[in-house]
Amino acid sequence: MRVVGYDPSGRGSALLVSDGDGSEARRISLEPGTDLGFGLGDRRCAGSIDREGVHYACDRPETPYCEFHTTSWVCARCTGTCLKDEMDCYDPHAVYLAAFAPSTVKVGVTRAERLETRLREQGADRGAHIHTVSNGRIARELEAGIAEELTDRVRVPTKRAGLAANVDADRWEGALAEFDVIDRYAFDYGLDLPVRPVVETIASGTVRGVKGRLLVLDRGATTYAVDMRDLVGYELEEGADERRLQSSLGSF
């Protein structure tokens, strides 16, 4: 079976897998305490999953997706001028700030009813709802203005570097001081990490937890952080990965 996608921490974390036979993709739960015992085989394009969850395989060698299965969400590039043929974002939208330990603060936009889920999907440590507006165009205009002072994107290496850190409270409160905050959120992903995990691409170990798209696994005396996107496209082989992996200093 091949990894064809994943659900991050906001939606019941799981790896999505398929046998490539045109059936619905299946879920491998990533609940804390779950034991994974897979080696990684060949890797190729993960294909696509339709709205009904049916997976369509692809044999092209590009990973994690070939040019025919690479999608770009046009709304992510919007700054208030709609890039679609017809604007369709008429639901109420929330503009929010998100904190990532230790000191990164980003601005973002989502549909109002998805705010808490969206923050969890990104692996935010804290969140603040700062505006509610009637549509996505207005929200993106506000976001673009705030992004002149705060970032609107946080890369995975930055999130990974903060896994064992705490949020700089002064930095966070300073960012919020510019806004009339509607609501606040604080998230605990249950990782309880004394030191930063070792970076690896593996699918074997005991799940400690998931933060955004970062899967944290305990294996032996070492804790590893896996970007789930780096697993997409791999064939999973039954049996623990026997590769020699880097260990943390605490394992010696």
Side-chain angles (χ1 to χ4, degrees):
M1 61 184 173
R2 190 170 301 276
V3 180
V4 295
Y6 57 88
D7 273 344
S9 56
R11 297 178 291 186
S13 305
L15 292 177
L16 305 181
V17 299
S18 170
D19 294 323
D21 56 1
S23 61
E24 187 173 340
R26 307 186 307 281
R27 299 172 63 87
I28 296 177
S29 173
L30 297 177
E31 286 295 312
T34 300
D35 289 323
L36 302 180
F38 301 105
L40 302 180
D42 74 298
R43 193 184 189 200
R44 61 173 183 262
C45 175
S48 63
I49 302 174
D50 68 15
R51 291 179 181 272
E52 284 69 46
V54 175
H55 173 250
Y56 297 91
C58 177
D59 289 327
R60 295 182 179 88
E62 295 85 2
T63 62
Y65 301 101
C66 71
E67 61 178 314
F68 299 101
H69 293 112
T70 298
T71 59
S72 177
W73 185 42
V74 68
C75 295
R77 303 197 307 273
C78 176
T79 58
T81 301
C82 188
L83 302 175
K84 295 181 178 179
D85 293 334
E86 183 176 354
M87 179 176 159
D88 59 4
C89 53
Y90 291 103
D91 297 331
H93 278 61
V95 182
Y96 63 86
L97 299 187
F100 299 86
S103 58
T104 301
V105 179
K106 67 154 283 189
V107 60
V109 165
T110 189
R111 294 197 307 276
E113 75 274 9
R114 292 197 78 254
L115 176 54
E116 183 172 349
T117 298
R118 182 59 184 146
L119 288 165
R120 287 185 176 277
E121 287 173 349
Q122 294 178 82
D125 293 293
R126 298 186 188 178
H129 182 181
I130 58 173
H131 294 292
T132 303
V133 295
S134 60
N135 62 56
R137 180 186 61 79
I138 299 171
R140 289 295 184 183
E141 288 178 346
L142 289 169
E143 179 190 39
I146 297 168
E148 294 178 3
E149 301 294 331
L150 300 173
T151 185
D152 59 0
R153 182 169 297 184
V154 182
R155 301 289 185 182
V156 168
T158 299
K159 297 179 182 181
R160 193 164 48 211
L163 279 175
N166 295 317
V167 171
D168 182 331
D170 291 338
R171 164 67 172 146
W172 177 234
E173 294 300 329
L176 296 184
E178 303 295 320
F179 305 96
D180 294 325
V181 176
I182 299 168
D183 203 357
R184 293 178 180 237
Y185 303 85
F187 302 105
D188 181 356
Y189 299 89
L191 300 179
D192 191 25
L193 294 167
V195 296
R196 187 188 305 175
V198 175
V199 178
E200 263 294 356
T201 302
I202 55 174
S204 60
T206 300
V207 176
R208 179 181 284 251
V210 177
K211 185 178 183 185
R213 76 186 206 200
L214 291 173
L215 168 62
V216 181
L217 295 171
D218 291 324
R219 180 169 161 179
T222 301
T223 300
Y224 297 93
V226 182
D227 183 349
M228 289 192 285
R229 182 176 169 81
D230 290 342
L231 293 176
V232 174
Y234 271 110
E235 186 77 17
L236 295 183
E237 300 176 341
E238 294 288 346
D241 192 334
E242 298 298 331
R243 289 178 300 149
R244 186 176 180 86
L245 302 175
Q246 180 181 350
S247 300
S248 66
L249 291 176
S251 67
F252 295 99

